[in-house]
Amino acid sequence: MKFFAGTLLAMVWLIPSQAQITQYSQDNRTPEYAEVISYYKSVAASSSLADIQEVGMTDAGYPLHTVILDADGDFDPGISRTKNKTILLINNGIHPGEPDGIDACIQLVDNWVSGKQPFPDNVVVVIIPVYNIGGALNRSSHSRANQNGPQEYGFRGNARNYDLNRDFIKQDTRNARSFAAIFQHWHPDIFIDTHVSNGADYQHVMTLVPTQHDKLMTPLGTFLTDEVSPYLYDAMEEAGFPMCPYVNTIGESPESGIVGFMDHPRYSTGYAALFNTIGFMTETHMLKPYDQRVQATKAFITSCVAYMTTHSNAIIQMKDSADILAQKQYIRPIEYVLDTGKVDSFLFKGYTAGHKLSQVSGAQRLYYDRDQPWEANIPLYDHYKPKMSMYYPEAWILPFAWEEVTERLLISGVKMHQLQKDSTMTVEFWYIDSLGTGTNSYEGHFRHQHVTGHLQREEMMIPAGSWYIDAHQPARRFLMEVLEPVSPDSYFSWNFFDPILMQKEWYSPYVFEDIAAELLRTVPGLSIQLSLAMQDDPSLKDPQMQLYWVYKHSDYFEKTYMRYPVMRVVEI
């Protein structure tokens, strides 16, 4: 007992004071996970402005926390909405090797609770202090070869080695499921996910990935590009951190132009966009000094809070308009392609790129010369157009059997109920015609891509216990993305329905030969269809393939093969 008490005292002694932890970044340091949580608990205990709550579990076995800043001390989204407050959700440490947001938020909270910086009475700030706790605990000084500080930091993979910024739709991790619960609880107006970039070298400290504006409902997308983004760019310029779009280059170096990032729903801002929330990924530049990156992140969050303070009514109005229009939308784009016919430009502050001999391979290698800075307007391709659209059904029916999908729908706020009795309905089924499946694992999955299929309408008896999911609900866009199998980030693409891709019944050829011959004699038109098929398909020269063709076109062939089990209700 004495040893335990001594160890506990030593642990308490190691926890820094509030004043110490706010200065870490100046010494090229970032706090450990225990220090972060200890700091926020002490703030919540001493300030009526702040609260800390445990919300769900993570794969590391530690609970996820939210820190809430509210001038009225309500800490409740329902009450905040009745007071017409806007809500900002900030996610830090999704990649704990990129801890800039962790330190920036600590410094901001310290300023707010100490009174150094006034906190607005019409904004609620919700902070996830460290999202990837498992990665944060896996600290080292060398896992990010391209990054300038801090001295030690966490690892990109979580406790199960998942990249959590690919998990917001599939929700394989406890972290992602807890995040969805937080997001659905608060329904933020604006969302910020803090990161550090990789890639080219340039003068900018801060780059930005906004929600892809063409994916948002038109009023919200226009509001983002015409109002919110220009304000933030001007504010960052004034703060001494001139910002540029995330440097996703067309060619080898930035002067060739930049392509706007397509944030599919697997990413945090892509998930947020499905619920008409404007999202930003801040991407500080990896080669800039750590404290400079922290200050740039802090300046961006401060600018965002300032905009929400002075434009709260406009933000609420635009989000409400987007919510209403989403309910009225009949056809929804579910896949986009870059519109190369639309090009903008912006002032980029770069360094001259060149090539020199590699001391490793002896070949020519790229380098940037910081002694040769330059400024010029470069192309920005940031417009996408629909590649594929889909019309909404009246509802979807999810059979009871698909428990993993049911769980994810409920976590993401989908309203659904179970049928209390067997019911006959007219529904549409997707039949999968083709797909390409990855040969390498991608975040725990062998994803299906380029999925094509056709719809077939049937009147069916739907058994009691099946889930009825009305399409007219706040999660309408989310449902279209995850339940339509041809959508790039659908649950089908993430392998949740793979059992339908394998036949379960078969036949013995020597037995089925006689059955097939009888079918060709008695089923009207079947023999002619086979003859026509043989003219178009060389594989049918094989007698066994002919036998299989007859089997596939008979009542013996299982209807569930390649039939996607989620039904679309088209008539009520």
Side-chain angles (χ1 to χ4, degrees):
M1 181 64 72
K2 289 182 180 180
F3 173 79
F4 175 80
T7 304
L8 183 61
L9 286 172
M11 290 173 64
V12 172
W13 182 81
L14 288 172
I15 298 296
S17 68
Q18 292 186 28
Q20 289 175 315
I21 200 169
T22 58
Q23 304 301 312
Y24 269 22
S25 66
Q26 295 179 18
D27 299 325
N28 195 29
R29 291 192 297 159
T30 188
E32 296 185 15
Y33 169 70
E35 295 175 316
V36 174
I37 301 305
S38 176
Y39 165 77
Y40 280 119
K41 285 183 176 180
S42 66
V43 167
S46 60
S47 172
S48 61
L49 180 66
D51 189 31
I52 185 169
Q53 300 175 2
E54 291 185 7
V55 190
M57 185 52 64
T58 69
D59 284 351
Y62 292 81
L64 204 60
H65 289 87
T66 54
V67 175
I68 306 153
L69 285 300
D70 186 339
D72 295 329
D74 296 321
F75 313 124
D76 179 273
I79 298 174
S80 298
R81 291 298 183 194
T82 63
K83 295 181 177 180
N84 288 322
K85 294 189 178 187
T86 51
I87 297 172
L88 171 65
L89 175 61
I90 303 171
N91 191 34
N92 292 320
I94 189 170
H95 299 147
E98 308 168 19
D100 304 23
I102 295 173
D103 284 275
C105 282
I106 285 173
Q107 293 179 23
L108 266 176
V109 170
D110 183 69
N111 287 347
W112 284 327
V113 300
S114 67
K116 296 176 189 175
Q117 189 172 332
F119 188 81
D121 59 8
N122 62 344
V123 177
V124 176
V125 176
V126 182
I127 301 169
I128 300 175
V130 182
Y131 179 48
N132 182 357
I133 299 171
L137 295 173
N138 185 10
R139 278 171 77 99
S140 72
S141 59
H142 52 267
S143 63
R144 289 180 66 85
N146 299 328
Q147 189 166 292
N148 180 12
Q151 294 173 10
E152 287 189 346
Y153 40 77
F155 181 68
R156 188 179 186 92
N158 87 325
R160 294 172 60 198
N161 211 36
Y162 277 99
D163 184 334
L164 294 179
N165 204 25
R166 311 292 186 272
D167 196 37
F168 286 93
I169 276 290
K170 60 187 177 69
Q171 296 174 0
D172 286 332
T173 62
R174 292 179 179 87
N175 303 63
R177 295 192 286 276
S178 295
F179 176 90
I182 292 168
F183 189 93
Q184 297 304 324
H185 180 66
W186 285 99
H187 289 290
D189 298 285
I190 293 181
F191 169 70
I192 299 173
D193 202 347
T194 59
H195 292 255
V196 180
S197 74
N198 281 310
D201 196 5
Y202 40 81
Q203 300 174 50
H204 300 275
V205 179
M206 175 64 76
T207 71
L208 188 66
V209 183
T211 303
Q212 218 311 307
H213 57 91
D214 289 316
K215 288 172 53 187
L216 292 170
M217 301 304 297
T218 301
L220 201 59
T222 302
F223 181 62
L224 170 62
T225 56
D226 293 354
E227 303 292 337
V228 184
S229 289
Y231 177 97
L232 294 174
Y233 271 82
D234 289 346
M236 289 296 285
E237 182 89 33
E238 187 176 337
F241 296 103
M243 193 164 58
C244 79
Y246 178 66
V247 184
N248 184 21
T249 62
I250 295 173
E252 187 178 41
S253 53
E255 59 264 30
S256 60
I258 289 176
V259 175
F261 185 72
M262 173 51 70
D263 52 345
H264 291 293
R266 73 193 69 163
Y267 303 108
S268 62
T269 56
Y271 176 85
L274 298 183
F275 301 94
N276 297 317
T277 294
I278 290 174
F280 297 106
M281 284 191 224
T282 58
E283 294 274 0
T284 55
H285 188 248
M286 60 193 177
L287 297 178
K288 300 297 186 288
Y290 183 57
D291 189 51
Q292 195 176 108
R293 300 189 335 243
V294 170
Q295 295 311 309
T297 305
K298 180 181 171 184
F300 182 85
I301 297 171
T302 300
S303 301
C304 211
V305 171
Y307 185 84
M308 296 174 75
T309 303
T310 55
H311 296 79
S312 59
N313 290 336
I315 293 169
I316 292 169
Q317 181 183 346
M318 287 299 168
K319 190 173 189 306
D320 287 347
S321 297
D323 289 342
I324 292 168
L325 285 172
Q327 295 305 308
K328 296 179 178 178
Q329 192 175 41
Y330 177 65
I331 296 176
R332 176 69 203 169
I334 54 177
E335 189 172 5
Y336 296 81
V337 62
L338 185 68
D339 188 347
T340 55
K342 293 182 179 179
V343 57
D344 303 312
S345 67
F346 71 97
L347 183 64
F348 184 76
K349 302 173 185 288
Y351 296 120
T352 300
H355 293 85
K356 61 184 178 182
L357 204 64
S358 167
Q359 297 183 25
V360 177
S361 65
Q364 290 294 308
R365 49 148 290 195
L366 174 70
Y367 78 100
Y368 292 89
D369 188 348
R370 290 197 169 189
D371 292 327
Q372 296 189 56
W374 58 268
E375 295 184 15
N377 286 309
I378 66 171
L380 172 63
Y381 296 87
D382 193 29
H383 296 274
Y384 284 80
K385 57 187 177 182
K387 179 182 178 182
M388 176 172 55
S389 297
M390 193 65 203
Y391 62 92
Y392 281 98
E394 288 294 325
W396 289 271
I397 300 289
L398 175 65
F400 175 80
W402 302 95
E403 181 181 6
E404 288 184 321
V405 174
T406 302
E407 179 187 13
R408 282 156 177 78
L409 296 180
L410 291 171
I411 288 171
S412 286
V414 172
K415 301 180 187 304
M416 49 201 286
H417 68 272
Q418 288 182 283
L419 298 177
Q420 298 303 304
K421 61 180 180 179
D422 296 349
S423 305
T424 300
M425 299 183 192
T426 300
V427 297
E428 289 178 335
F429 277 105
W430 277 103
Y431 279 87
I432 306 302
D433 294 328
S434 66
L435 70 163
T437 302
T439 56
N440 295 315
S441 177
Y442 176 76
E443 294 304 321
H445 293 257
F446 290 84
R447 289 188 59 239
H448 304 311
Q449 302 175 67
H450 314 299
V451 178
T452 66
H454 66 276
L455 288 167
Q456 185 169 310
R457 187 170 295 196
E458 300 179 27
E459 186 174 79
M460 287 197 62
M461 190 279 291
I462 312 298
S466 300
W467 291 96
Y468 186 91
I469 309 166
D470 195 320
H472 301 280
Q473 61 170 293
R476 183 174 172 86
R477 289 188 58 197
F478 170 82
L479 288 165
M480 180 66 90
E481 295 279 349
V482 299
L483 293 185
E484 296 298 320
V486 293
S487 177
D489 261 0
S490 69
Y491 287 145
F492 176 80
S493 78
W494 288 105
N495 307 120
F496 287 101
F497 294 99
D498 275 8
I500 71 164
L501 302 179
M502 180 182 176
Q503 281 182 241
K504 300 302 185 289
E505 299 285 1
W506 200 247
Y507 59 86
S508 294
Y510 79 94
V511 176
F512 192 67
E513 277 279 356
D514 295 332
I515 298 173
E518 181 66 18
L519 290 171
L520 290 170
R521 282 194 301 271
T522 60
V523 176
L526 188 62
S527 180
I528 296 173
Q529 291 177 42
L530 175 58
S531 298
L532 293 173
M534 290 174 65
Q535 295 175 23
D536 297 332
D537 187 352
S539 71
L540 290 177
K541 292 180 180 179
D542 183 341
Q544 292 303 316
M545 292 301 295
Q546 293 176 34
L547 194 64
Y548 182 62
W549 186 96
V550 176
Y551 178 66
K552 283 188 68 176
H553 290 79
S554 75
D555 289 339
Y556 294 99
F557 190 76
E558 60 202 71
K559 291 184 178 180
T560 54
Y561 176 56
M562 303 297 277
R563 186 173 76 180
Y564 179 63
V566 179
M567 294 159 271
R568 310 172 91 248
V569 180
V570 291
E571 293 182 9
I572 295 181

